[in-house]
Amino acid sequence: MAAPESPRTDSSPWNWLLLAPIVVPLLTPLFNHDEPRLAGFPLFYWLQFAFILLGVGTTTLVYRMTRKRSRP
């Protein structure tokens, strides 16, 4: 006999925030420039690192807001 399936609980509105790190790097007019430079690097290169931080920060935020807290 199979165990009864529980309803899905991953339908939090916080999950929509995970689209930001996917969509923002696709907006090429944001980084299709040579200026400004940061430590000699053009905008394109250091903005790629900013996109990584955006993804990590967004994933961390969504995880913390949607995880189930254990009850003592």
Side-chain angles (χ1 to χ4, degrees):
M1 186 177 252
E5 291 187 29
S6 60
R8 290 181 61 164
T9 60
D10 61 350
S11 61
S12 171
W14 285 100
N15 291 337
W16 285 102
L17 196 57
L18 292 172
L19 286 175
I22 296 170
V23 173
V24 171
L26 295 175
L27 302 173
T28 55
L30 288 177
F31 54 89
N32 192 16
H33 305 285
D34 188 42
E35 299 291 330
R37 290 180 173 263
L38 183 66
F41 291 100
L43 174 76
F44 175 80
Y45 292 107
W46 60 265
L47 200 56
Q48 298 301 311
F49 289 111
F51 291 154
I52 292 169
L53 294 175
L54 173 68
V56 170
T58 303
T59 304
T60 302
L61 177 66
V62 171
Y63 170 73
R64 289 179 163 266
M65 298 306 288
T66 58
R67 70 179 174 179
K68 293 181 180 179
R69 298 200 170 102
S70 61
R71 296 179 187 220

